Amino acid sequence: MCGMALEPRTVSVEEEPSPELDDMTRRLRWSAVLTLPLFLLAMSEHVPGLRLHTMVSPRLLQWIQLALALPVVVWGGRPFFERGWQSLLNRRLNMFTLIALGTGAATLYSLVATLAPGLFPPSYRGAHGEVSVYFEAAAMITVLVLVGQVLELRARRRTSNAIRALLKLAPRDARLVHADGREEDVPLEKVRAGDRLRVRPGDKVPVDGNVVEGSSSVDEAMLTGESMPVVKDVGDDVLGGTVNGSGSFIMVARHVGAETLLARIVQLVGEAQRSRAPIQRLADAVAAWFVPAVVAIASITFVVWLLVGPDPRFTHALVNMVAVLIIACPCALGLATPMSIMVGTGRGAQAGVLIRDAEALETLEKVDTLVVDKTGTLTLGKPKVVTVEARPGASEAGLLQLAASLERGSEHPLAAAIVDAALERELQLESAHDFRAHTGQGVTGIVAGHQVAVGNERLLAATGRDSGADVLRQRADALRHGGQTAVFVGVDGELRGLLGIADPLKETTASAIRALRKERLRIVMLTGDGQATADGVARQLGIEEVHAEVLPQEKHGVVRALQSEGRCVAMAGDGVNDAPALAQAHVGIAMGTGADVALESAGVTLVRGDLRGILRARRLSRQTMRNIRQNLLFAFIYNSIGVPLAAGMLYPAFGLLLSPVVASAAMSFSSLSVVGNALRLRHAKL
């Protein structure tokens, strides 16, 4: 519809040949060879010492120019005429409509003047009966447009460098460890989920998986933007494409092929680069009337010069009309938004910020309210026992051992935290009998001959009648005030102690929240936890607005309520229960460490799951949108100045006219300026 080159849906590791670039380059080379002598012939009349018309008749010179120019215009400029014709058939006028009209008019006029000069009035003919021709202008315009197309196509290939760099992160093979211990290198495409792979020092991690043996530090900067290597021990996740440090480890492949994070990143970036930002609608709306308006201005220019211009009026009218058509080509306007989007989304991927579509990228800079889920977003999402308190005379280790032995039969996340704490302390767990789960309260059972109960106060109410229980209850209130969940442990009908379980904050959360507050963002925390626990976390982070005990289906209602206040809301979350709220928000921001459904519902994904990525995303949004506005402003100023000059505005006062050749060069320069400005985003500091 726009007449410009299409972008490939997929990008390969190696730079693929571009048939269009090859074709345009070939046309440019041959057209330039023919246009150079044509240009010299045309200039010979104006340069002393090159007056060929004294040796060759002007009529013969015109035939020579025709022979040189026609291949350039007809063959070299054929793609422009084809696209211009298609624009008329599709009723979608574009830059090639104007190029075809301009060069076509100059060529047809010159062709008639050469073949049938007698059709023109005597005042238009010279001493030898010749009429002025503009073959050199039509040929030069064609060559300059071809130059612009070649340079533009070469520059646009560079916008895929970000995706290509990501693709190159994946190694070509992996070291497979067989069941008998034998190792061999196999092509990456032969790796299957469940395979054991060895990653040697300096190797790239082949696919996503988990460390099962050994440890090392892994450089994840290429995918997550995290500059410091991350220590990986047994059980930790590793990502395909990251670089192993000095250690060696064996991993089990979990995600291979298109399921790896690297492959999904490449897919998301490709989709984002092909998406359209809302600001593009402005450019589209302008372009819809711009070309017809230019044709109208060119027509008016022709009529005015024909009626009141100096002699030869028709020649002046034609030349200025062609100059208007050529200089007003809206290629800069058409490139302004998509070029910046393509480069910006690629730059974001390199910094661990995946933009799903251009609309999210544009909206990010307008966000004034950030809603954050607590678990997995502010915190690690892995509950951990941080406090063990036993009544005087009781052993903390014994208390934890009994509680963990009983909880080993439970699937509750808090139970897993208790069992992990006991294993970390190398406590020997006992078998549990008569295990019973009490919904909403806790669990009971027999461990080592003792009746054990682990849960909340309601479960243990019958065992808390002595004075010591009051002290523990007061201590439980203090733990809740500090953001911990209090779990009571009863043994043989007596309240023996309590465990404080907390979901630790991510190391970077506090600094990220402070930085986001400096951005003047209103920060709202959402959580299903109790009010006391939520308030404790909020106090640690300086978050003043908290919505606790919110059910999953109620989260999107909180977002909608903020939107009804006129707020531009971003929602950051990582779980399945966050998906409705992520979809409801103006911009959904998913933690890359979260559930797949959250990633699918979000417009932005932070690969590392670090809230500092929101700051990077905001900077990327600002710089990309600033770049787009600069491009649109440049295109507007260029046409505002160029069209009047081409129409002859300066002629009455200064006698200056803008040659169609100069207009063509200016048009090509405007396109290249937009492309060059967009490419600056590749080095944007995030």
Side-chain angles (χ1 to χ4, degrees):
M1 292 182 179
C2 65
M4 289 184 283
L6 296 175
E7 292 296 328
R9 288 187 177 274
T10 58
V11 178
S12 62
V13 177
E14 302 301 329
E15 194 168 287
E16 295 180 344
S18 170
E20 184 168 17
L21 176 58
D22 295 341
D23 179 61
M24 290 292 184
T25 303
R26 182 169 56 253
R27 293 177 189 273
L28 172 61
R29 287 172 180 167
W30 285 106
S31 297
V33 169
L34 294 173
T35 301
L36 180 59
L38 177 63
F39 179 75
L40 293 176
L41 285 175
M43 292 297 102
S44 66
E45 297 184 16
H46 310 287
V47 179
L50 291 179
R51 296 186 176 276
L52 298 180
H53 66 280
T54 59
M55 297 177 287
V56 182
S57 71
R59 287 286 295 156
L60 180 57
L61 283 176
Q62 285 187 345
W63 282 99
I64 295 173
Q65 291 181 48
L66 185 151
L68 292 171
L70 275 187
V72 175
V73 177
V74 175
W75 177 77
R78 179 178 175 180
F80 311 143
F81 288 106
E82 289 177 344
R83 296 176 187 182
W85 178 247
Q86 286 295 324
S87 72
L88 296 176
L89 295 180
N90 296 330
R91 298 180 182 178
R92 300 278 299 202
L93 305 184
N94 53 50
M95 59 177 283
F96 295 103
T97 313
L98 303 182
I99 293 173
L101 286 174
T103 56
T107 303
L108 286 175
Y109 170 80
S110 301
L111 191 62
V112 173
T114 302
L115 298 177
L119 296 178
F120 292 83
S123 59
Y124 279 70
R125 297 196 295 269
H128 299 274
E130 80 282 0
V131 179
S132 297
V133 293
Y134 295 93
F135 286 121
E136 87 286 352
M140 283 294 295
I141 289 170
T142 301
V143 168
L144 288 171
V145 174
L146 283 170
V147 169
Q149 287 292 294
V150 168
L151 293 177
E152 179 187 319
L153 287 167
R154 287 179 179 175
R156 288 173 69 172
R157 292 177 73 175
R158 295 163 65 188
T159 62
S160 298
N161 285 352
I163 298 182
R164 195 167 287 113
L166 290 171
L167 287 171
K168 289 181 179 179
L169 293 179
R172 296 183 181 275
D173 51 34
R175 191 162 187 82
L176 179 65
V177 180
H178 293 277
D180 59 3
R182 182 171 52 88
E183 299 182 7
E184 68 168 325
D185 292 328
V186 298
L188 191 63
E189 56 268 19
K190 291 188 177 181
V191 175
R192 299 291 181 264
D195 286 349
R196 290 167 61 88
L197 308 170
R198 178 176 295 281
V199 183
R200 294 165 294 188
D203 283 355
K204 290 182 178 179
V205 178
V207 294
D208 297 356
N210 306 102
V211 178
V212 295
E213 183 181 320
S215 64
S216 184
S217 59
V218 177
D219 183 358
E220 298 182 339
M222 300 78 88
L223 288 182
T224 67
E226 177 60 49
S227 59
M228 297 297 294
V230 181
V231 176
K232 300 292 182 180
D233 293 312
V234 174
D236 289 339
D237 296 334
V238 286
L239 301 174
T242 55
V243 180
N244 184 29
S246 57
S248 175
F249 60 86
I250 294 178
M251 61 175 288
V252 172
R254 299 299 183 200
H255 301 290
V256 300
E259 296 179 354
T260 65
L261 178 62
L262 177 60
R264 293 170 67 190
I265 288 175
V266 171
Q267 180 184 0
L268 282 173
V269 174
E271 291 175 354
Q273 290 187 339
R274 294 191 299 270
S275 64
R276 296 164 64 81
I279 197 172
Q280 178 68 29
R281 297 171 194 154
L282 172 62
D284 292 343
V286 172
W289 59 260
F290 182 80
V291 176
V294 170
V295 173
I297 293 172
S299 301
I300 294 172
T301 300
F302 180 83
V303 172
V304 171
W305 279 92
L306 190 63
L307 295 177
V308 299
D311 291 327
R313 294 182 180 181
F314 185 85
T315 301
H316 281 94
L318 177 68
V319 169
N320 288 293
M321 180 189 73
V322 170
V324 170
L325 290 172
I326 296 300
I327 202 168
C329 285
C331 43
L333 188 64
L335 289 169
T337 299
M339 286 299 298
S340 298
I341 293 296
M342 291 180 67
V343 181
T345 51
R347 176 67 185 95
Q350 292 176 325
V353 178
L354 302 186
I355 306 298
R356 188 175 183 82
D357 55 58
E359 183 172 359
L361 183 62
E362 178 175 339
T363 307
L364 260 175
E365 71 164 355
K366 304 173 186 175
V367 168
D368 56 23
T369 302
L370 175 63
V371 178
V372 289
D373 174 55
K374 182 181 79 69
T375 305
T377 303
L378 298 175
T379 65
L380 292 174
K382 297 178 180 179
K384 184 177 182 181
V385 175
V386 295
T387 303
V388 180
E389 293 200 8
R391 289 183 58 176
S395 165
E396 291 185 358
L399 179 75
L400 181 59
Q401 181 189 35
L402 290 173
S405 298
L406 180 62
E407 289 284 16
R408 189 162 54 170
S410 174
E411 297 180 355
H412 196 281
L414 296 185
I418 295 172
V419 173
D420 289 343
L423 294 177
E424 287 178 4
R425 300 190 186 194
E426 299 182 349
L427 300 177
Q428 186 67 39
L429 302 186
E430 305 285 347
S431 299
H433 307 285
D434 297 335
F435 177 87
R436 290 183 59 191
H438 304 267
T439 304
Q441 296 184 358
V443 295
T444 59
I446 298 175
V447 178
H450 297 283
Q451 182 69 42
V452 180
V454 181
N456 57 24
E457 289 184 79
R458 283 181 292 173
L459 180 65
L460 303 175
T463 63
R465 290 188 296 271
D466 58 293
S467 58
D470 294 333
V471 176
L472 287 176
R473 288 192 182 94
Q474 291 175 6
R475 180 58 183 153
D477 290 338
L479 292 179
R480 294 190 191 101
H481 191 73
Q484 298 182 33
T485 298
V487 177
F488 292 87
V489 181
V491 181
D492 295 330
E494 179 185 64
L495 185 57
R496 189 67 60 88
L498 58 83
L499 307 175
I501 301 177
D503 185 1
L505 294 172
K506 295 177 181 178
E507 292 182 3
T508 58
T509 295
S511 61
I513 292 295
R514 286 194 298 270
L516 289 167
R517 289 172 66 88
K518 289 181 180 178
E519 295 265 325
R520 297 182 179 179
L521 287 176
R522 174 184 175 183
I523 300 177
V524 180
M525 187 176 81
L526 284 184
T527 180
D529 290 350
Q531 190 68 52
T533 302
D535 289 341
V537 173
R539 274 192 297 273
Q540 294 180 57
L541 298 174
I543 298 176
E544 299 176 356
E545 193 168 347
V546 179
H547 293 266
E549 301 177 13
V550 179
L551 297 176
Q553 62 269 27
E554 296 174 344
K555 289 187 176 182
H556 79 285
V558 175
V559 173
R560 186 180 299 171
L562 291 167
Q563 291 173 328
S564 67
E565 298 175 9
R567 294 279 182 171
C568 185
V569 181
M571 165 72 187
D574 77 323
V576 173
N577 57 4
D578 296 322
L582 291 171
Q584 174 66 38
H586 292 104
V587 181
I589 303 173
M591 302 294 111
T593 51
D596 287 349
V597 68
L599 273 62
E600 293 298 324
S601 303
V604 178
T605 298
L606 308 181
V607 175
R608 189 167 173 76
D610 184 345
L611 284 181
R612 291 179 301 179
I614 298 179
L615 294 168
R616 296 191 188 105
R618 293 260 292 178
R619 295 189 192 110
L620 177 65
S621 175
R622 287 199 194 99
Q623 294 188 52
T624 303
M625 294 311 300
R626 185 186 305 123
N627 194 275
I628 290 174
R629 294 186 186 105
Q630 289 170 350
N631 287 345
L632 290 174
L633 180 62
F634 180 82
F636 175 77
I637 293 176
Y638 165 80
N639 284 293
S640 298
I641 296 175
V643 171
L645 289 178
M649 183 181 67
L650 298 180
Y651 185 80
F654 304 100
L656 297 178
L657 289 176
L658 190 65
S659 165
V661 174
V662 176
S664 179
M667 180 270 293
S668 298
F669 173 75
S670 70
S671 299
L672 294 176
S673 298
V674 167
V675 173
N677 189 45
L679 289 175
R680 291 192 307 112
L681 288 171
R682 294 186 305 163
H683 308 292
K685 292 184 179 180
L686 304 180

